[in-house]
Amino acid sequence: GLDIREGLSYGGPLLHSVQLDMVWPPPDELREAFQDFPGEVILQVGGKAIDKLGGSPERVVERLETYRGVIHRVLLDRSMGQGLGMDALALLPFARLIGTKLPEIGLGAAGGLGPTTVELIKPLLLEFPDISFDAQGQMRSDGDSSKPIEWDRARGYVISSLELLNRCNKV
């Protein structure tokens, strides 16, 4: 596998953040790998990571506590790039507990968001106005995230996102 430090070297001085799409990587190894990295480290907490801890928000937060000082943001993403529709209400207990127990860690969410489905994030956005959200699989008409982005879909996503933020009085 690719060494994280080696991977960081490919990013050069303009690399500002790294997202780790890994299931509970060893915190001490991350601490060592990112000790000199000045940017933001985002840990994806996907379906496998949540399921590995029995679907328990409390157990997820306990595990996240072991990453204090290493990660800056958590991306809650049960879809994991597959374009599956987000169930924001199911993510709310995780977001609430992370926000309460680990307020220094920023929140992000993903899962099936796209130009016509960005509304799925609304329950999380209303409660967490600073939440980050992103799209991957829905940026292609066939949902295949290994293919190039279809820019008309990306444009539609940005426009729909801005309209949603405006309706939620967040812009």
Side-chain angles (χ1 to χ4, degrees):
L2 180 68
D3 178 82
I4 290 175
R5 283 178 168 271
E6 183 181 343
L8 290 173
S9 73
Y10 292 119
L14 297 179
L15 181 64
H16 296 283
S17 63
V18 173
Q19 179 176 313
L20 303 171
D21 295 349
M22 308 165 86
V23 177
W24 305 120
D28 290 337
E29 288 182 26
L30 294 185
R31 202 166 271 110
E32 183 180 327
F34 290 105
Q35 65 186 354
D36 298 323
F37 181 62
E40 182 177 74
V41 178
I42 304 162
L43 179 63
Q44 180 192 57
V45 176
K48 289 179 185 173
I50 291 170
D51 292 346
K52 192 169 184 176
L53 299 178
S56 162
E58 292 78 13
R59 290 186 64 201
V60 167
V61 168
E62 283 174 15
R63 181 66 63 92
L64 286 172
E65 285 174 338
T66 66
Y67 294 91
R68 268 197 155 124
V70 179
I71 63 168
H72 303 91
R73 184 170 300 276
V74 171
L75 179 70
L76 300 171
D77 182 5
R78 281 193 167 271
S79 172
M80 297 161 46
Q82 300 301 306
L84 306 174
M86 174 190 295
D87 182 352
L89 295 178
L91 295 179
L92 268 171
F94 295 91
R96 287 175 179 146
L97 204 54
I98 292 166
T100 301
K101 300 275 189 176
L102 300 166
E104 73 277 13
I105 294 179
L107 288 172
L113 301 179
T116 61
T117 57
V118 73
E119 291 283 334
L120 294 172
I121 189 75
K122 191 173 181 180
L124 282 163
L125 184 62
L126 288 172
E127 193 164 330
F128 299 94
D130 294 332
I131 196 166
S132 300
F133 54 99
D134 74 13
Q136 186 175 336
Q138 291 293 318
M139 295 298 97
R140 295 103 178 142
S141 50
D142 64 3
D144 184 351
S145 59
S146 69
K147 292 183 179 173
I149 288 175
E150 295 173 23
W151 293 108
D152 59 327
R153 292 181 70 82
R155 186 179 311 105
Y157 171 69
V158 170
I159 291 168
S160 297
S161 297
L162 290 172
E163 289 171 352
L164 174 63
L165 288 166
N166 190 44
R167 282 194 312 280
C168 292
N169 297 314
K170 305 303 178 202
V171 172

